[in-house]
Every structure is written in structure tokens, then in C-alpha cells.
Amino acid sequence: MHALISPAGLAAFPCSGRPVVLDVRWRLGGPPGAESYREGHVPGAVFTDLDTVLAAPSGEGGRHPLPEAADLQRALRKAGVRTGQPVVVYDDADGSVAARAWWLLRWAGHREVAVLDGGYAAWQAEGHPVTTEMPSPEPGNIEVRPGAMPVLTANAAAALAREGVLFDARAHVRYTGETEPIDPRAGHIPGAVSAPTSEHTGVDGRWRSPGELAERFAALGLSADAPVGAYCGSGVTASSVVLALEVAGHAVPAALYAGSWSHWSRDPERPAATGSDRG
């Protein structure tokens, strides 16, 4: 299954083979995505919360650490996810929260998963139906087997920033340290490259073409054989870097530093670079 699916592609699935659809709308600072879901969603979509399903409780591991395998399996089975059955995920922002769900399912060993290109807005714009009806999916049988996507520890992220390419998906002003509204310290991991996730999509919210994404990453210094990873504030938007690289045709999946800056910045012994230079 390709990493992206168009609204028309999702709508064209026959009823008998329709994928499980997960609504993962979430916004930093609210309103809660569950409210938007209740006001209208893709028919059959199951609301899946970032904070309680797609992440473990915040703490020393960061603001959105990876969930425990058993907890994730329980939630995905409740949503109806079955082994080998396609899953489509969507949000209503820049696709980064949907990318986290995509990445997490891939990390769990489920390859048949795609992000809805353009999200809920694109679904509506093309005139596809929406509903307020709450689905009651049959329980799934997915077996969560963590480790199918590469992850980075803090030390590994530091090394990759020097020996390969480590992309920082946050807004550039957070990379430079001009502002830090959330985490304990400002700046970036020394050696990391600024690659704001907002540049993965166009003004219409749809993902840029494979060629455009490939050109962007090449302009940021990525070669075909370079080891590559990504981080952000809490491991959510960095997932969109991993997805964008796959769409761009990068052969090996990028590694994700799941704790990201929310984990890195907790330790005063870890250095922080500021300014536009990699440091």
C-alpha cells in the first residue's frame, strides 16, 4: 500500500474491502479532536486519540513517548484493525498527526497503512459524504510487533547529526532558539538540519509530489546513500519527515527520535545549538 491515498481512492474502495479508517485529529492547545469528530467525520472512521492511544503518558521520555505495545494493540483491536487489512488515517491539519499514526502502525509491523492526502478538508472539498454516526467496529486481531521502523536514542541522534543527516521538523524559529514555547530549553541538536514539516504540503494541505519532495531533501543536503533520521518537539511532526522521505523515494526508512526535543532538552548535560547554523 502506498503511503498516501487520495480522497477519491478511499471513496472507491468497495464496501466489502473497505479499510479501517482512523480519525486522529488533534491540535496543540485544542479544541480537542474528539469534538471535531463528533461534529462530523468520514463514514465509519474511528476516533483515535494522540495523547492516550498514539503515545504513552508524558514524562521523562518526552511529551509523546511511544506507547507500550500491549496498550497500542488493545486500542487498535478496539478500533477494528485486523492483520493484513488496510488502514487509512487522517487529520485536519498538515498531515503530521496522521503521519504519526502511519508511522506507529508501520513500527508495529502493520504495512498496509496510508495517510489520506489532504486530510478531512480534502475529503469534504471533493464532496464525499460525512456523518455524525458513531461506528461500532468488530474487534480486530492485529498483533503489535514493535521494531519494524528504526528509532533513535538521544546518543544515536547526536551521532547521526554528525555522521549523517538529522532533520529537525520544528518551525525554524524553534530550531534557531528564537522562541521555545513548550520545552525546557531553546535551540537544536548540534549538527541537525532545519526541515520544517510545514514545507511537506502545499497551501491546499495536500502533500507535495515525490519529485518536489526529493528536490527539497536534496537541497537540504541529503544524498541517496546517507543515513538519515528526524526529530521535532515531541516525536509527532517528525513522523511526517519519515513519510515524506518515503514518498520521495528514499530507499531506507528514516530513523525517528521519538523523544525528540522534549526529551533531549530535559537533560542539561546535552548541548543545545542556537542560530541558523547547524552548530
Side-chain angles (χ1 to χ4, degrees), residues 6-131:
S6 68
L10 175 57
F13 268 95
C15 291
S16 59
R18 189 168 176 80
V20 172
V21 181
L22 304 181
D23 182 316
V24 297
R25 283 179 279 182
W26 179 89
R27 303 168 199 87
L28 184 63
E35 292 184 6
S36 299
Y37 173 79
R38 285 192 291 268
E39 292 169 359
H41 51 266
V42 173
V46 178
F47 181 71
T48 306
D49 184 55
L50 169 65
D51 291 319
T52 59
V53 175
L54 305 180
S58 62
E60 290 302 313
R63 284 185 282 110
H64 289 112
L66 299 183
E68 294 293 332
D71 295 336
L72 180 61
Q73 178 172 289
R74 188 181 309 110
L76 292 176
R77 286 185 173 187
K78 185 177 180 180
V81 179
R82 305 187 67 82
T83 299
Q85 182 179 14
V87 177
V88 174
V89 294
Y90 70 87
D91 60 31
D92 62 356
D94 60 5
S96 60
V97 180
R100 166 67 175 232
W102 168 87
W103 183 91
L104 201 59
L105 279 156
R106 290 282 300 274
W107 170 79
H110 193 86
R111 293 197 59 82
E112 297 298 305
V113 56
V115 168
L116 181 63
D117 194 8
Y120 189 64
W123 178 265
Q124 288 184 299
E126 293 189 10
H128 299 295
V130 298
T131 185

Side-chain angles (χ1 to χ4, degrees), residues 142-225:
I142 183 174
E143 296 284 343
V144 170
R145 297 184 176 90
M149 293 288 273
V151 296
L152 296 169
T153 63
N155 288 341
L160 184 59
R162 297 301 188 191
E163 300 165 4
V165 180
L166 180 67
F167 288 123
D168 183 322
R170 298 173 300 163
H172 189 66
V173 290
R174 291 184 68 191
Y175 173 87
T176 62
E178 295 172 59
T179 183
E180 181 45 68
I182 307 169
D183 293 315
R185 289 186 290 148
H188 60 268
I189 296 174
V193 177
S194 179
T197 189
S198 59
E199 297 178 20
H200 296 153
T201 55
V203 294
D204 59 356
R206 308 227 182 194
W207 289 74
R208 298 192 184 279
S209 71
E212 289 173 323
L213 290 171
E215 287 180 8
R216 177 182 182 236
F217 288 120
L220 291 172
L222 181 65
S223 61
D225 58 351

Side-chain angles (χ1 to χ4, degrees), residues 246-264:
E246 180 160 316
V247 172
H250 197 75
V252 179
L256 179 73
Y257 177 20
S260 285
W261 191 250
S262 65
H263 174 254
W264 181 279

